[in-house]
């Protein structure tokens, strides 16, 4: 694969969590289908729920019940969905294929990496060690700062915790708001097509890169870093 030149080699890579590092949709979907079962309803097909996973409760409840924040009944469903999900959030969630190798390659290059997610800390804190990401350099949850993505504040906090300037960081995500937040923070942005990706076509997001697999991202990092420090990454 050939990549256009990057404006600068990164010193750190920040990642979204759901749909970027980890495939958490099975457990998110199971929780919302428990809500449907409580009401005597058939499960919503997983194929309809999976694309909404990065949007959390708003996406899942919207797909399963046709309700949005502010609609009657939405808040009660959201609270119960949170409870169901917290009780069983890692039965089927796993890292995407290639992610362990990607993170190992980043570490071998001497770069830092961290997680910036809109997932609330009540879920992020227990989930991350269960799926093998406890070695993240920083974890910024959806309620760590006053604003969630697409506001840049969480990404700026992630850079601060890693001791990096924002322009030294790349941000990787599978949703339009990830790219909007990364651009607003002054970071190089990477859209990952292996994730959930939502309803807006990824080519319309305005990301600096659109990649198909974690291996593509590792190769991009190798190519970019090698342009300034040829021995930094060993293939």
């Amino acid at each position: 694969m050939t990549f256009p030149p990057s404006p600068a080699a990164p010193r750190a890579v920040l990642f979204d969590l759901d749909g970027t590092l980890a495939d958490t949709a099975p457990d998110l979907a199971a929780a919302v289908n428990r809500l449907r079962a409580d009401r005597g309803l058939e499960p919503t097909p997983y194929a309809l729920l999976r694309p909404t996973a990065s949007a959390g409760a708003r996406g899942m409840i919207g797909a399963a019940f046709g309700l949005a924040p502010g609609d009657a009944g939405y808040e009660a469903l959201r609270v119960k969905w949170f409870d169901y999900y917290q009780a069983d959030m890692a039965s089927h969630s796993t890292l995407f294929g290639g992610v362990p190798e990607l993170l190992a390659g980043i570490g071998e290059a001497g770069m830092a990496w961290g997680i910036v997610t809109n997932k609330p800390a009540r879920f992020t804190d227990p989930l991350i060690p269960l799926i093998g990401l406890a070695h993240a350099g920083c974890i910024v949850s959806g309620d760590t700062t006053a604003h969630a993505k697409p506001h840049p504040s969480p990404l700026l906090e992630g850079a601060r915790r890693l001791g990096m300037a924002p322009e030294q960081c790349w941000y990787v995500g599978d949703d339009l708001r990830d790219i909007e937040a990364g651009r607003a923070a002054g970071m190089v942005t990477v859209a990952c097509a292996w994730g959930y990706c939502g309803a807006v076509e990824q080519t319309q997001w305005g990301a600096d890169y659109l990649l198909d697999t974690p291996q593509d991202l590792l190769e991009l990092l190798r190519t970019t870093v090698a342009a300034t420090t040829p021995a930094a990454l060993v293939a």
Side-chain angles (χ1 to χ4, degrees):
M1 181 174 290
T2 301
F3 303 106
S6 168
R11 292 188 59 196
V13 183
L14 294 169
F15 294 93
D16 174 51
L17 179 61
D18 300 84
T20 299
L21 292 176
D23 187 5
T24 56
D27 291 313
L28 293 164
V32 84
N33 274 329
R34 283 190 66 185
L35 291 176
R36 288 184 60 85
D38 289 347
R39 289 153 180 79
L41 301 172
E42 292 295 316
T44 298
Y46 179 68
L48 297 180
L49 293 173
R50 186 181 188 277
T52 74
S54 287
R58 175 174 53 83
M60 285 280 162
I61 293 171
F65 292 95
L67 297 176
D71 290 345
Y74 175 88
E75 186 59 20
L77 287 169
R78 185 186 72 87
V79 170
K80 192 62 178 177
W81 181 76
F82 276 2
D83 290 341
Y84 280 157
Y85 179 60
Q86 188 167 25
D88 190 12
M89 68 175 83
S91 290
H92 304 288
S93 295
T94 60
L95 300 183
F96 283 106
V99 164
E101 294 79 6
L102 167 62
L103 299 179
I106 289 172
E108 290 163 7
M111 289 185 284
W113 68 273
I115 297 168
V116 180
T117 174
N118 273 3
K119 206 179 195 76
R122 67 180 280 197
F123 309 123
T124 306
D125 291 347
L127 176 64
I128 281 177
L130 291 175
I131 57 177
L133 295 174
H135 56 308
C138 72
I139 300 168
V140 178
S141 299
D143 46 5
T144 300
T145 66
H147 303 280
K149 298 176 293 182
H151 197 280
S153 290
L155 278 66
L156 297 174
E157 176 64 14
R160 186 193 69 80
R161 292 187 180 195
L162 293 179
M164 304 291 176
E167 60 268 22
Q168 296 174 314
C169 302
W170 288 13
Y171 189 62
V172 184
D174 73 311
D175 193 86
L176 172 60
R177 68 186 172 193
D178 295 323
I179 305 309
E180 292 173 337
R183 288 202 308 263
M187 299 179 182
V188 169
T189 57
V190 179
C192 56
W194 66 84
Y196 305 136
C197 297
V200 181
E201 170 58 42
Q202 303 100 289
T203 57
Q204 305 302 311
W205 293 359
D208 294 295
Y209 299 99
L210 173 60
L211 304 179
D212 292 327
T213 69
Q215 179 62 33
D216 289 341
L217 177 54
L218 183 56
E219 291 302 319
L220 173 59
L221 290 167
R222 286 173 171 159
T223 300
T224 303
V225 175
T228 52
T229 52
L233 275 170
V234 177

